[in-house]
Amino acid sequence: VQLQASGGGLVQTGGSLRLSCAASPRTFSSYVMGWFRQAPGKERRFVAAIDYRDSATVYADSVKGRFTISRDNGRNTVLLQMDSLRPEDTAAYYCAAISTTKWRWVRYADKYDRWGQGTLVTVSS
């Protein structure tokens, strides 16, 4: 069971990036997929999550209206479209999976079962 995140890079303030997380079918089906980020010297923080069953979504207040999470169940992929990026969005971004039975815990990193490696996003001012 693996998660593979990609799509990070360097972008100017106001720019856009799209992150992608590919998962094995066993991971993707019946799981909530989430994105977290961790800036240097700071704790890992919730960004967004999407349910498998009905594509319900939830966002951190800091990214609401700027980021969009989506999933392609046929390709076992979850996407994070990031628009209007700000320097404070600079961080390593991680995708993770949690059972759909734990939807109420999606904002908590320690509840997630599986993690991908980080992809670095740097927003220059």
Side-chain angles (χ1 to χ4, degrees):
V1 174
Q2 293 184 337
L3 300 175
Q4 184 75 28
S6 61
L10 174 64
V11 64
Q12 292 184 335
T13 296
S16 298
L17 281 175
R18 188 174 72 170
L19 305 184
S20 178
C21 178
S24 60
R26 184 176 180 182
T27 301
F28 210 68
S29 61
S30 302
Y31 273 76
V32 172
M33 300 299 295
W35 285 97
F36 287 76
R37 64 186 182 186
Q38 187 168 19
K42 296 188 176 181
E43 64 182 11
R44 192 166 297 188
R45 294 187 175 181
F46 172 76
V47 175
I50 186 167
D51 193 11
Y52 169 80
R53 295 168 296 181
D54 58 5
S55 293
T57 58
V58 61
Y59 295 91
D61 288 344
S62 59
V63 306
K64 199 173 295 183
R66 301 188 297 122
F67 290 11
T68 303
I69 188 170
S70 61
R71 64 192 295 159
D72 183 339
N73 290 337
R75 297 184 178 183
N76 300 323
T77 300
V78 61
L79 303 173
L80 185 68
Q81 178 66 40
M82 306 186 295
D83 299 318
S84 302
L85 283 163
R86 305 166 180 169
E88 54 264 40
D89 294 319
T90 295
Y93 283 71
Y94 299 85
C95 62
I98 187 174
S99 171
T100 56
T101 61
K102 298 181 180 179
W103 175 253
R104 65 187 181 279
W105 304 113
V106 296
R107 296 177 182 268
Y108 302 91
D110 61 347
K111 301 297 184 182
Y112 280 72
D113 304 308
R114 295 167 176 82
W115 290 86
Q117 88 293 352
T119 185
L120 184 61
V121 172
T122 303
V123 184
S124 63
S125 57

